[in-house]
Short mmCIF file of all heavy atoms in Angstrom, two decimals:
data_model
loop_
_atom_site.label_atom_id
_atom_site.label_comp_id
_atom_site.label_asym_id
_atom_site.label_seq_id
_atom_site.Cartn_x
_atom_site.Cartn_y
_atom_site.Cartn_z
N ASP A 1 0.86 -1.19 0.00
CA ASP A 1 0.00 0.00 0.00
C ASP A 1 0.90 1.24 0.00
O ASP A 1 1.26 1.77 1.05
CB ASP A 1 -0.90 -0.03 1.23
CG ASP A 1 -1.84 1.17 1.29
OD1 ASP A 1 -1.88 1.96 0.32
OD2 ASP A 1 -2.51 1.34 2.32
N VAL A 2 1.26 1.70 -1.18
CA VAL A 2 2.19 2.81 -1.35
C VAL A 2 1.47 4.02 -1.93
O VAL A 2 0.73 3.89 -2.92
CB VAL A 2 3.36 2.42 -2.27
CG1 VAL A 2 4.25 3.62 -2.57
CG2 VAL A 2 4.18 1.29 -1.66
N HIS A 3 1.69 5.17 -1.33
CA HIS A 3 1.19 6.43 -1.90
C HIS A 3 2.32 7.07 -2.69
O HIS A 3 3.43 7.26 -2.18
CB HIS A 3 0.74 7.38 -0.79
CG HIS A 3 0.22 8.69 -1.32
ND1 HIS A 3 -1.10 8.92 -1.60
CD2 HIS A 3 0.87 9.84 -1.64
CE1 HIS A 3 -1.26 10.14 -2.07
NE2 HIS A 3 -0.07 10.73 -2.10
N ILE A 4 2.03 7.42 -3.94
CA ILE A 4 3.02 8.07 -4.80
C ILE A 4 2.77 9.58 -4.72
O ILE A 4 1.78 10.08 -5.26
CB ILE A 4 2.92 7.56 -6.24
CG1 ILE A 4 3.19 6.05 -6.26
CG2 ILE A 4 3.93 8.28 -7.13
CD1 ILE A 4 2.85 5.38 -7.56
N LEU A 5 3.65 10.28 -4.03
CA LEU A 5 3.48 11.71 -3.79
C LEU A 5 4.01 12.50 -4.99
O LEU A 5 5.20 12.47 -5.29
CB LEU A 5 4.23 12.11 -2.51
CG LEU A 5 4.13 13.57 -2.06
CD1 LEU A 5 2.68 13.94 -1.77
CD2 LEU A 5 5.01 13.79 -0.83
N GLN A 6 3.11 13.24 -5.65
CA GLN A 6 3.49 13.97 -6.85
C GLN A 6 3.54 15.48 -6.63
O GLN A 6 3.64 16.24 -7.59
CB GLN A 6 2.54 13.63 -8.00
CG GLN A 6 2.58 12.17 -8.38
CD GLN A 6 1.97 11.89 -9.74
OE1 GLN A 6 2.12 12.67 -10.68
NE2 GLN A 6 1.27 10.78 -9.85
N HIS A 7 3.50 15.93 -5.40
CA HIS A 7 3.66 17.35 -5.09
C HIS A 7 4.98 17.83 -5.70
O HIS A 7 6.04 17.24 -5.47
CB HIS A 7 3.66 17.54 -3.58
CG HIS A 7 3.71 18.96 -3.13
ND1 HIS A 7 4.80 19.79 -3.33
CD2 HIS A 7 2.80 19.71 -2.45
CE1 HIS A 7 4.55 20.97 -2.80
NE2 HIS A 7 3.35 20.95 -2.27
N PRO A 8 4.96 18.92 -6.49
CA PRO A 8 6.18 19.33 -7.21
C PRO A 8 7.30 19.84 -6.31
O PRO A 8 8.44 19.95 -6.76
CB PRO A 8 5.68 20.44 -8.14
CG PRO A 8 4.48 21.00 -7.45
CD PRO A 8 3.82 19.81 -6.79
N GLY A 9 7.01 20.11 -5.04
CA GLY A 9 8.04 20.63 -4.15
C GLY A 9 8.91 19.58 -3.49
O GLY A 9 9.89 19.91 -2.83
N TYR A 10 8.57 18.29 -3.69
CA TYR A 10 9.36 17.21 -3.09
C TYR A 10 10.31 16.62 -4.12
O TYR A 10 9.93 16.34 -5.25
CB TYR A 10 8.44 16.10 -2.57
CG TYR A 10 7.70 16.46 -1.31
CD1 TYR A 10 6.53 17.21 -1.36
CD2 TYR A 10 8.18 16.08 -0.06
CE1 TYR A 10 5.84 17.55 -0.21
CE2 TYR A 10 7.51 16.42 1.11
CZ TYR A 10 6.33 17.15 1.03
OH TYR A 10 5.66 17.50 2.17
N ASN A 11 11.56 16.41 -3.68
CA ASN A 11 12.57 15.75 -4.51
C ASN A 11 12.80 16.50 -5.82
O ASN A 11 12.92 15.90 -6.89
CB ASN A 11 12.18 14.29 -4.80
CG ASN A 11 13.29 13.32 -4.39
OD1 ASN A 11 14.46 13.66 -4.46
ND2 ASN A 11 12.91 12.13 -3.98
N VAL A 12 12.88 17.82 -5.73
CA VAL A 12 13.25 18.62 -6.89
C VAL A 12 14.73 18.37 -7.17
O VAL A 12 15.56 18.40 -6.26
CB VAL A 12 12.99 20.11 -6.64
CG1 VAL A 12 13.32 20.93 -7.89
CG2 VAL A 12 11.53 20.34 -6.23
N ALA A 13 15.06 18.10 -8.43
CA ALA A 13 16.44 17.75 -8.77
C ALA A 13 16.67 17.99 -10.26
O ALA A 13 15.74 18.31 -11.00
CB ALA A 13 16.71 16.28 -8.42
N LYS A 14 17.90 17.80 -10.67
CA LYS A 14 18.28 18.11 -12.05
C LYS A 14 17.46 17.33 -13.07
O LYS A 14 17.25 17.79 -14.19
CB LYS A 14 19.77 17.86 -12.25
CG LYS A 14 20.20 16.42 -12.02
CD LYS A 14 21.71 16.27 -12.16
CE LYS A 14 22.14 14.82 -11.94
NZ LYS A 14 23.61 14.66 -12.04
N TRP A 15 16.98 16.13 -12.70
CA TRP A 15 16.27 15.29 -13.67
C TRP A 15 14.82 15.71 -13.88
O TRP A 15 14.16 15.19 -14.77
CB TRP A 15 16.33 13.82 -13.25
CG TRP A 15 15.95 13.59 -11.83
CD1 TRP A 15 14.68 13.57 -11.30
CD2 TRP A 15 16.84 13.34 -10.74
NE1 TRP A 15 14.73 13.34 -9.96
CE2 TRP A 15 16.04 13.19 -9.58
CE3 TRP A 15 18.24 13.23 -10.64
CZ2 TRP A 15 16.60 12.94 -8.33
CZ3 TRP A 15 18.79 12.99 -9.40
CH2 TRP A 15 17.98 12.85 -8.25
N ASN A 16 14.29 16.63 -13.05
CA ASN A 16 12.90 17.05 -13.27
C ASN A 16 12.73 18.57 -13.36
O ASN A 16 11.60 19.07 -13.34
CB ASN A 16 11.96 16.48 -12.20
CG ASN A 16 12.44 16.78 -10.78
OD1 ASN A 16 12.93 17.87 -10.49
ND2 ASN A 16 12.27 15.82 -9.88
N LEU A 17 13.82 19.28 -13.50
CA LEU A 17 13.73 20.74 -13.56
C LEU A 17 13.00 21.23 -14.80
O LEU A 17 12.49 22.36 -14.82
CB LEU A 17 15.13 21.37 -13.49
CG LEU A 17 15.79 21.37 -12.11
CD1 LEU A 17 17.20 21.93 -12.22
CD2 LEU A 17 14.98 22.19 -11.11
N TYR A 18 12.93 20.42 -15.85
CA TYR A 18 12.28 20.88 -17.07
C TYR A 18 10.79 21.12 -16.87
O TYR A 18 10.16 21.84 -17.65
CB TYR A 18 12.52 19.89 -18.22
CG TYR A 18 11.86 18.54 -18.07
CD1 TYR A 18 10.54 18.35 -18.44
CD2 TYR A 18 12.57 17.47 -17.56
CE1 TYR A 18 9.93 17.12 -18.31
CE2 TYR A 18 11.98 16.23 -17.43
CZ TYR A 18 10.66 16.06 -17.80
OH TYR A 18 10.06 14.83 -17.66
N HIS A 19 10.18 20.51 -15.84
CA HIS A 19 8.76 20.77 -15.61
C HIS A 19 8.49 21.30 -14.19
O HIS A 19 7.37 21.29 -13.73
CB HIS A 19 7.90 19.53 -15.89
CG HIS A 19 8.14 18.38 -14.96
ND1 HIS A 19 7.60 18.31 -13.71
CD2 HIS A 19 8.84 17.22 -15.13
CE1 HIS A 19 7.95 17.16 -13.13
NE2 HIS A 19 8.71 16.50 -13.97
N ARG A 20 9.55 21.78 -13.52
CA ARG A 20 9.39 22.37 -12.19
C ARG A 20 10.07 23.74 -12.17
O ARG A 20 11.30 23.82 -12.09
CB ARG A 20 9.95 21.43 -11.12
CG ARG A 20 9.26 20.08 -11.13
CD ARG A 20 9.54 19.25 -9.91
NE ARG A 20 8.99 17.91 -10.07
CZ ARG A 20 8.94 16.99 -9.11
NH1 ARG A 20 9.42 17.28 -7.91
NH2 ARG A 20 8.43 15.81 -9.33
N LYS A 21 9.27 24.76 -12.27
CA LYS A 21 9.79 26.11 -12.31
C LYS A 21 9.97 26.65 -10.90
O LYS A 21 9.00 26.77 -10.14
CB LYS A 21 8.84 27.02 -13.10
CG LYS A 21 9.33 28.46 -13.22
CD LYS A 21 8.33 29.31 -13.98
CE LYS A 21 8.82 30.76 -14.07
NZ LYS A 21 7.82 31.62 -14.77
N ILE A 22 11.22 26.96 -10.54
CA ILE A 22 11.52 27.47 -9.20
C ILE A 22 11.52 28.98 -9.22
O ILE A 22 12.19 29.60 -10.06
CB ILE A 22 12.88 26.93 -8.71
CG1 ILE A 22 12.86 25.40 -8.67
CG2 ILE A 22 13.20 27.49 -7.33
CD1 ILE A 22 14.19 24.78 -8.27
N THR A 23 10.77 29.59 -8.30
CA THR A 23 10.73 31.05 -8.17
C THR A 23 10.94 31.43 -6.71
O THR A 23 10.73 30.60 -5.81
CB THR A 23 9.40 31.62 -8.66
OG1 THR A 23 8.32 30.99 -7.95
CG2 THR A 23 9.22 31.38 -10.16
N LEU A 24 11.34 32.66 -6.49
CA LEU A 24 11.53 33.19 -5.14
C LEU A 24 10.51 34.30 -4.93
O LEU A 24 10.55 35.32 -5.61
CB LEU A 24 12.95 33.71 -4.96
CG LEU A 24 13.34 34.24 -3.57
CD1 LEU A 24 13.23 33.12 -2.53
CD2 LEU A 24 14.77 34.81 -3.59
N THR A 25 9.60 34.09 -3.99
CA THR A 25 8.53 35.05 -3.73
C THR A 25 8.47 35.34 -2.24
O THR A 25 8.28 34.43 -1.43
CB THR A 25 7.17 34.49 -4.20
OG1 THR A 25 7.26 34.15 -5.59
CG2 THR A 25 6.07 35.51 -3.99
N ASN A 26 8.64 36.62 -1.89
CA ASN A 26 8.62 37.03 -0.47
C ASN A 26 9.58 36.20 0.38
O ASN A 26 9.25 35.80 1.51
CB ASN A 26 7.20 36.94 0.09
CG ASN A 26 6.22 37.85 -0.63
OD1 ASN A 26 6.59 38.96 -1.02
ND2 ASN A 26 4.99 37.41 -0.80
N GLY A 27 10.74 35.91 -0.18
CA GLY A 27 11.77 35.18 0.55
C GLY A 27 11.57 33.69 0.62
O GLY A 27 12.34 32.99 1.29
N LYS A 28 10.56 33.16 -0.08
CA LYS A 28 10.30 31.72 -0.04
C LYS A 28 10.40 31.14 -1.45
O LYS A 28 9.89 31.73 -2.41
CB LYS A 28 8.91 31.44 0.55
CG LYS A 28 8.78 31.88 2.01
CD LYS A 28 7.42 31.48 2.56
CE LYS A 28 7.25 31.94 3.99
NZ LYS A 28 8.25 31.35 4.90
N PHE A 29 11.02 29.96 -1.54
CA PHE A 29 11.12 29.29 -2.84
C PHE A 29 9.82 28.54 -3.13
O PHE A 29 9.29 27.82 -2.28
CB PHE A 29 12.29 28.30 -2.84
CG PHE A 29 13.63 28.96 -2.89
CD1 PHE A 29 14.43 29.05 -1.76
CD2 PHE A 29 14.10 29.51 -4.09
CE1 PHE A 29 15.68 29.66 -1.81
CE2 PHE A 29 15.34 30.12 -4.14
CZ PHE A 29 16.14 30.20 -3.01
N LEU A 30 9.35 28.74 -4.35
CA LEU A 30 8.16 28.03 -4.83
C LEU A 30 8.52 27.19 -6.04
O LEU A 30 9.43 27.52 -6.79
CB LEU A 30 7.06 29.02 -5.21
CG LEU A 30 6.58 30.00 -4.13
CD1 LEU A 30 5.53 30.93 -4.71
CD2 LEU A 30 6.03 29.25 -2.92
N VAL A 31 7.80 26.09 -6.21
CA VAL A 31 7.97 25.22 -7.38
C VAL A 31 6.59 25.08 -8.01
O VAL A 31 5.67 24.55 -7.40
CB VAL A 31 8.51 23.83 -6.99
CG1 VAL A 31 8.75 22.99 -8.22
CG2 VAL A 31 9.78 23.97 -6.17
#
């Protein structure tokens, strides 16, 4: 019974940066 977590803020890395846009807003990083 495994949940596959697809929230874009978890495990951001070089292999998925093409679909995860990182921005800095009010001092916080968003994906």
